[in-house]
């Protein structure tokens, strides 16, 4: 799996967060919703969310989802 795709997707989500399109406290779409909307694989979605979590942009709660 090329790292570039996950980085690209993370950058897109990051831009949505920093621009306010995804405001603080909002829930990210589910993995399935992101896959359906973008056509990327589950691995890409997971790597992108993990990268955003590492940057402190999102927090994940098991069984609940990821939040800005």
């Amino acid at each position: 799996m090329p790292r570039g795709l996950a980085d690209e997707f993370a950058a897109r989500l990051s831009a949505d967060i920093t621009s306010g399109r995804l405001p603080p406290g909002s829930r990210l779409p589910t993995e399935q919703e992101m896959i359906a909307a973008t056509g990327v694989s589950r691995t890409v979605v997971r790597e992108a969310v993990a990268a955003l979590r590492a940057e402190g942009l999102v927090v994940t709660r098991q069984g609940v989802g990821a939040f800005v």
Side-chain angles (χ1 to χ4, degrees):
M1 171 58 49
R3 268 300 294 158
L5 212 50
D7 291 339
E8 230 174 84
F9 190 56
R12 198 161 16 148
L13 285 173
S14 178
D16 284 348
I17 292 167
T18 54
S19 72
R21 206 170 142 241
L22 288 169
S26 66
R27 187 170 172 275
L28 292 184
T30 65
E31 278 181 5
Q32 291 303 322
E33 288 167 346
M34 287 193 261
I35 291 165
T38 61
V40 298
S41 71
R42 183 177 195 161
T43 305
V44 169
V45 170
R46 287 188 167 188
E47 284 183 15
V49 171
L52 294 176
R53 196 172 57 223
E55 289 175 31
L57 287 173
V58 300
V59 293
T60 53
R61 298 214 300 265
Q62 190 153 12
V64 182
F67 296 84
V68 177

